[in-house]
Amino acid sequence: MIIDVHTHINNYHEDRVVSLEDCLNKLTETMEENHVDYSLVLTSYKVNEHRPSTKKVVEAIENRKNLGVVAGISYLNYNHHDLREIGEYLEAGLIKGLKLYPGYEPFYPNDTRMKVVYDMAIEYDVPVMFHSGDTYAPTGRVKYSHPIHHDDLAVDYPDLKIVICHVGNPWIKDCMEVTYKNQNVHADFSGLVLGDFSEKFERWMKNELEQMITYAGNPKYLLYGTDWPISSMKSYLNFMKNLDLPQEKKELILWKNAAELFKLDVTSFK
């Protein structure tokens, strides 16, 4: 089984508008081609014609049993209506987690403005995913997205389930320490490349992840994610296949950790 915890249906080539339905169809077709059983769709911190709202995505995937939603929240622009809507979706089980975008927006993860979001996540026992590391856009500010900042958050909120996205790349060793030290911190390794892995970069990143697992131990904290459509599902699965790990640890990363963390009923995917 394969669970991809990190996909998007944003239109990153904004020269033309692509419908939400077309984006979802392309996602599910790509999943089928690569034998991916379930994907989480992360909505954006901003809403426009290229980035659909959480509400639209929740409604659009209603009959797609192999998709779930993680709700993006804007640090700069969230309001009481947004929080009320997300609370209702959490109550109804229609979203599986929350996503914040430090680096793309100017805040550190332990900013007190986000306490209401973390309290909500703890109440409904869902993970909060954080953009971490390099930013896709040159306008991002990476001082906010360094993975070391999640240590403060993990200590201040020991009951909060934290996911550091992209293993904080290029600060993978810092991410390694934060996940090792804090039982409530996980990491996904999505978005490490644009498109396909090159042979040279794949060798380097393979070594980095294997070192992380050697240091931090049994990879109960590590999640498989791609950042599709930015990154290729096929290339990512090939990368996963080449990791020097026993099959039982690959199974943890590919789906078991995600199913437990996001409380997914794996029998309902088909």
Side-chain angles (χ1 to χ4, degrees):
M1 182 171 288
I2 302 168
I3 296 175
D4 189 335
V5 303
H6 199 129
T7 71
H8 297 279
I9 49 173
N10 301 330
N11 173 29
Y12 293 107
H13 305 286
E14 299 184 352
D15 53 324
R16 64 188 181 94
V17 177
V18 181
S19 74
L20 174 54
E21 195 68 16
D22 285 347
C23 290
L24 285 169
N25 288 339
K26 182 64 175 176
L27 171 57
T28 54
E29 287 166 11
T30 308
M31 289 169 60
E32 187 173 345
E33 289 167 5
N34 291 281
H35 308 290
V36 175
D37 297 275
Y38 186 90
S39 290
L40 289 171
V41 176
L42 281 53
T43 62
S44 182
Y45 62 98
K46 58 184 177 181
V47 177
N48 56 37
E49 61 183 348
H50 303 289
R51 296 171 183 251
S53 67
T54 297
K55 182 176 188 293
K56 285 186 176 180
V57 178
V58 167
E59 292 171 350
I61 71 157
E62 182 178 5
N63 296 315
R64 297 177 186 254
K65 301 305 180 187
N66 61 344
L67 296 179
V69 178
V70 172
I73 299 175
S74 170
Y75 166 81
L76 292 173
N77 299 307
Y78 82 76
N79 56 40
H80 293 296
H81 171 77
D82 296 328
L83 296 181
R84 184 169 63 249
E85 181 180 77
I86 287 170
E88 290 170 357
Y89 288 148
L90 287 168
E91 183 75 33
L94 295 175
I95 57 177
K96 303 299 183 182
L98 308 175
K99 173 71 186 290
L100 299 174
Y101 291 83
Y104 289 103
E105 293 191 305
F107 73 102
Y108 294 107
N110 66 337
D111 192 303
T112 56
R113 176 169 162 77
M114 305 315 294
K115 182 180 185 301
V116 62
V117 174
Y118 302 148
D119 288 344
M120 184 184 294
I122 292 168
E123 179 182 351
Y124 288 100
D125 194 28
V126 298
V128 181
M129 304 178 74
F130 293 85
H131 172 80
S132 185
D134 185 32
T135 56
Y136 181 69
T139 53
R141 299 176 187 270
V142 294
K143 69 177 182 180
Y144 296 108
S145 56
H146 195 293
I148 200 71
H149 300 306
H150 293 91
D151 182 57
D152 279 350
L153 186 65
V155 172
D156 291 343
Y157 294 89
D159 296 323
L160 180 66
K161 296 176 178 179
I162 297 165
V163 178
I164 301 175
C165 297
H166 321 306
V167 287
N169 183 45
W171 299 291
I172 296 172
K173 284 185 171 57
D174 299 271
C175 178
M176 179 172 77
E177 167 59 19
V178 176
T179 55
Y180 169 71
K181 173 182 174 288
N182 299 289
Q183 292 293 313
N184 56 332
V185 178
H186 295 70
D188 79 28
F189 54 94
S190 64
L192 300 178
V193 293
L194 299 178
D196 296 331
F197 282 92
S198 67
E199 184 178 345
K200 185 175 182 180
F201 184 74
E202 182 172 347
R203 283 199 310 271
W204 181 79
M205 188 54 69
K206 175 178 179 292
N207 183 60
E208 290 289 306
L209 281 186
E210 288 170 357
Q211 283 188 33
M212 181 175 184
I213 293 166
T214 299
Y215 180 86
N218 194 36
K220 287 286 290 179
Y221 52 85
L222 198 56
L223 306 166
Y224 177 78
T226 60
D227 216 6
W228 184 93
I230 292 172
S231 302
S232 159
M233 285 191 185
K234 182 178 180 180
S235 187
Y236 250 84
L237 286 169
N238 185 65
F239 172 73
M240 186 70 206
K241 179 182 176 182
N242 291 332
L243 285 177
D244 185 16
L245 296 173
Q247 187 59 33
E248 62 268 21
K249 291 190 176 180
K250 288 185 179 180
E251 291 288 315
L252 287 174
I253 297 167
L254 280 169
W255 71 274
K256 288 184 177 179
N257 293 341
E260 180 179 347
L261 182 65
F262 290 94
K263 296 184 291 185
L264 304 176
D265 177 7
V266 298
T267 65
S268 68
F269 295 169
K270 301 298 184 182

